[in-house]
């Protein structure tokens, strides 16, 4: 088949289909989302695909399928594994029958995440094997290897790509064969599938006996390699291997040192690492996130009484945070190898560059929701707890309406803690529709049960917007393209015991403000659902314009809304027609009636 | 090896443009790699796409000072990415500035003209395109990417002909938007001679 341009995540998906995967579950999260989407798009009719309500549910569904002999994969971003860590830790003891891959995408930088956590630690913690591909091409075949190892050792395995691999594209030659993996079905065996202290003890012994064998197996795994020669050696893995290769080539130092590429850091391939050490005096470890390879090499030196200098993050030879790059590798490698990096062209300093923090899109209904809550609470002592999603961007000036943001679902519960510490505040919790289903529900139950007065603002834009518009239980669509029963957020709130539930259109500023005031006066937990679809799933309306005759340049529209389509013009406000979606909220706030829709 | 950096503001369509360039390479049997900004930064933030064509490419990202061409969808973003350009490289830039909310809220004033003047003073091969005018003629702000590609193709730096780009566009752009994009591509190419 001809080569096609595939994103790393697409390559992983096609590789999984080729490996005969039967059940794929997940929860959207940058940079992992496109893996599951691609499996759904390229579905040959033999794969069941679902967006689960959260990562814990997703991992458990995939586990059940693997118990039954169907190859399964679950996808998530790194923080998703925190949510799924409960089943992960137990499943590690139970094991699987058919191959099961837990795909967890890490995000060095971080570019679009709340943590810089390293999933390789989870591999050590849960005692599971982990695969770390370095290019989309390699990921395409490595995902198949991951299924094979999983089946060979009857254990789930972790597969950990990082952002630059997930969202990098490469020309890849794919084949359309699909491994024939008949599903045996669930065979009852309580000694195997039911976790008990006795089972855990017995399996713990087996796991500790098994892992050194997998490490030995990994020493000859084709994803790991040892090349070059010399007294200096570089150990690396993942996308950093590519940066190191590029830097070596720019320094004309290819083959001047030993180069160890590790695609499997747990169980650690000790035999391979020992042959890397052979003849070396000094080692540099290049890796993103935490010094995982570095610590393993230091451990190995101690274990075998080897005297070596090992540089990396621990001795601050390498930066401890942020993503790596060719430039960073050039600077580290030139120092390590005693070479001179090519000089860059000198330039004069540019004029001050515009600062562009991410903001809510022009036309985003969340802007109206935040604006009205801010207005309704003007002069009141109120704290606004936010959550994870597009609406985190309500923190940007001038809205400035996110006082806390921690993790999925935490806005609702953090608001309760603040209220207990400071009962005279009005505590608002903003939560999106997908986050409501993900982890918002237990927090609301907690507030109702413990009678903690908070106002829950559900910003329902009918999609999972930040990650690229995935369906969820409230949309009435599944990832298999089927129509499902729409789960009603107001009905759920009422069923959980929230007595004051109002549904409003946030673009109707007056109605929304009045509803927010009523909710804030309520003596029990109250909720306002601001229902208006994301601009990306609706057609734009005609754009609005500023009547230059009427505009007094008071800048109220700019200072109160922060809409990217409204800009400071020549002594007047201007609306950029290429950005305006026609939401019309600016018309409602202009004190001079200078903004209007197309006539 | 050809390194092309596309830079702009989230929502301007840099990703499709990078895919079209990579598709041209693949259609010619060449190796290609791209890297994109996806996620939170797409919401009005600075975005860059890296396209690398040729053998022996390792990093998905272009090293500093190695880009043969920068396609700037916005003048300030072209300036921000200028350290990626190699000596004597080409800059194709849309002249229209996109003012961020941070600028409208401040007393300072961000000016696209200052950015263009800086680019012209720093580099020899700078082609400024009136992307806004082309979009108006085609009736959509969404064709800025294909307009700039037309200009880039005409500059000769990418090494692909207009015909090669057009077949990539036929493969990657939906039928109902294709004609509009082909027109924008032509207008972009014409703008280089002006």
């Amino acid at each position: 088949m001809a080569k096609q341009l595939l994103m790393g995540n697409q390559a992983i998906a096609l590789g999984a289909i080729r490996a005969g995967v039967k059940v794929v579950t997940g929860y959207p999260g940058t940079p992992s989302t496109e893996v599951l989407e691609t499996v759904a798009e390229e579905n040959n009719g033999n794969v069941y695909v679902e967006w689960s309500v959260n990562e814990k549910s997703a991992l458990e569904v995939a586990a059940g399928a693997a118990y039954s002999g169907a190859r399964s994969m679950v996808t998530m971003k790194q923080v998703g594994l925190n949510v799924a860590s409960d089943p992960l830790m137990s499943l590690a003891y139970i094991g699987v029958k058919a191959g099961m891959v837990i795909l967890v995408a890490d995000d060095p930088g971080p570019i679009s995440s709340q943590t810089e956590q390293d999933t390789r630690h989870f591999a050590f913690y849960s005692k599971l094997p982990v695969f770390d591909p370095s290019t989309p091409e390699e990921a395409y075949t490595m995902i198949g290897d991951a299924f094979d190892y999983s089946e060979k050792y009857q254990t789930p395995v972790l597969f950990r790509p990082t952002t630059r691999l997930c969202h990098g594209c490469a020309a890849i030659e794919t084949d359309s064969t699909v491994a024939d993996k008949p599903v045996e079905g669930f065979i009852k065996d309580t000694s195997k599938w039911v976790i008990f202290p006795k089972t855990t003890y017995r399996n713990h012994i087996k796991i500790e006996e098994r892992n050194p064998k997998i490490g030995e197996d990994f020493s000859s795994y084709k994803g790991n390699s040892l090349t070059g020669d010399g007294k200096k050696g570089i150990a690396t893995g993942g996308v950093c291997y590519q940066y190191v290769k590029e830097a070596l080539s720019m320094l004309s130092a290819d083959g001047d040192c030993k180069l160890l590429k590790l695609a499997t850091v747990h169980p650690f391939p000790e035999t391979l690492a020992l042959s890397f050490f052979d003849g070396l005096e000094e080692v540099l470890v290049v890796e993103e996130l935490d010094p995982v390879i570095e610590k393993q090499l230091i451990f190995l030196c101690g274990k075998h009484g080897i005297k070596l200098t090992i540089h990396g993050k621990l001795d601050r030879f390498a930066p401890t945070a942020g993503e790596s790059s060719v430039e960073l590798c050039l600077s580290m490698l030139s120092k390590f190898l005693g070479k001179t990096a090519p000089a860059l062209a000198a330039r004069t300093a540019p004029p001050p560059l515009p600062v562009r923090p991410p903001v809510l899109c022009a036309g985003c209904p969340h802007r109206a929701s935040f604006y009205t809550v801010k207005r309704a609470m003007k002069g009141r002592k109120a704290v606004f707890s936010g959550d994870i999603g597009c609406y985190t961007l309500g923190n940007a000036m001038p809205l400035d309406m996110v006082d806390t943001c921690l993790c999925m679902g935490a806005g609702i519960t953090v608001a309760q803690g603040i209220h207990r510490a400071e009962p005279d505040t009005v505590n608002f919790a903003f939560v999106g529709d997908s986050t409501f289903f993900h982890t918002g529900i237990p927090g609301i139950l907690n507030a109702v049960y413990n009678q903690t007065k908070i106002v829950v603002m559900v910003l329902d834009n009918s999609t999972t917007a930040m990650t690229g518009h995935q369906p969820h239980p409230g949309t009435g669509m599944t990832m298999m393209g089927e129509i499902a029963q729409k789960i009603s957020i107001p009905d759920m709130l009422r069923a959980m015991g929230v007595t004051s539930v109002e549904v409003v259109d946030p673009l109707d500023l007056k109605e929304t403000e009045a509803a927010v005031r009523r909710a804030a006066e309520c003596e029990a937990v109250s909720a306002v659902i601001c229902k208006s679809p994301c601009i990306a799933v609706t057609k734009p309306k005609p754009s609005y314009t500023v009547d230059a005759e009427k505009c007094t340049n008071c800048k109220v529209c700019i200072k109160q809304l922060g809409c990217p389509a409204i800009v400071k013009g020549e002594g007047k406000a201007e609306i950029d027609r290429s950005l305006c979606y026609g939401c019309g909220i600016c018309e409602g706030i202009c004190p001079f009636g200078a903004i209007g829709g197309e006539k | 090896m050809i390194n092309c950096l596309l830079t702009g503001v989230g929502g301007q369509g840099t990703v499709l443009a990078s895919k079209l360039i990579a598709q041209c390479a693949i259609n010619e049997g060449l190796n290609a790699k791209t890297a994109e900004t996806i996620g939170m930064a797409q919401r009005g933030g600075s975005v860059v796409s890296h396209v690398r064509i040729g053998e022996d490419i390792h990093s998905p990202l272009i090293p500093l000072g190695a880009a043969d061409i920068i396609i700037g969808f916005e003048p300030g973003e072209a300036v921000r990415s200028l350290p990626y350009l190699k000596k004597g490289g080409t800059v194709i830039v849309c002249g229209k500035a996109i003012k961020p909310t941070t600028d409208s809220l401040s007393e300072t004033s961000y000016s696209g003209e200052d950015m263009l003047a800086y680019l012209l003073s720093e580099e020899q091969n700078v082609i400024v395109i009136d992307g806004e005018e082309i979009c108006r003629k085609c009736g959509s702000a969404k064709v800025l990417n294909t307009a700039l590609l037309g200009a880039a193709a005409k500059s000769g730096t990418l090494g692909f002909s207009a015909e090669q780009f057009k077949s990539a566009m036929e493969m990657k752009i939906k039928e109902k938007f294709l004609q509009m994009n082909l027109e924008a591509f032509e207008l972009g190419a014409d703008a280089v001679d002006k």
Side-chain angles (χ1 to χ4, degrees), chain A residues 20 45 163 188 422 491 520 532 553 595:
Chain A
T163 307
K188 293 189 184 189
E422 208 179 354
D491 286 355
S532 182
N553 204 27
I595 303 178

Side-chain angles (χ1 to χ4, degrees), chain B residues 29 47 118 128 190:
Chain B
V47 293
Y118 174 78
V128 183
D190 293 347

Side-chain angles (χ1 to χ4, degrees), chain A residues 192-210:
Chain A
K192 185 162 173 53
W193 304 120
V194 181
I195 197 159
F196 266 117
K198 200 174 66 180
T199 328
T200 300
Y201 172 74
R202 192 184 65 221
N203 288 351
H204 192 178
I205 294 171
K206 284 187 192 163
I207 290 165
E208 299 299 346
E209 283 170 358
R210 174 200 74 192

Side-chain angles (χ1 to χ4, degrees), chain A residues 2-5 171, chain B residues 2 19-32 53-55 158-169 171:
Chain A
K3 282 190 176 184
Q4 45 177 331
L5 189 71
Chain B
I2 291 172
K19 284 199 173 8
L20 289 170
I21 300 171
Q23 191 61 50
C24 284
I26 290 171
N27 290 350
E28 294 308 304
L30 299 169
N31 193 29
I53 297 166
E55 300 308 312
L158 288 169
F160 302 113
S161 68
E163 290 315 309
Q164 286 169 323
F165 270 104
K166 283 173 188 168
S167 31
M169 285 161 73
M171 291 171 73

Side-chain angles (χ1 to χ4, degrees), chain A residues 138-159:
Chain A
E138 188 179 40
Y140 176 66
T141 53
M142 192 178 282
I143 189 82
D145 302 337
F147 278 107
D148 291 344
Y149 272 92
S150 170
E151 243 155 54
K152 181 174 174 186
Y153 292 100
Q154 302 273 287
T155 178
V157 301
L158 291 157
F159 192 85

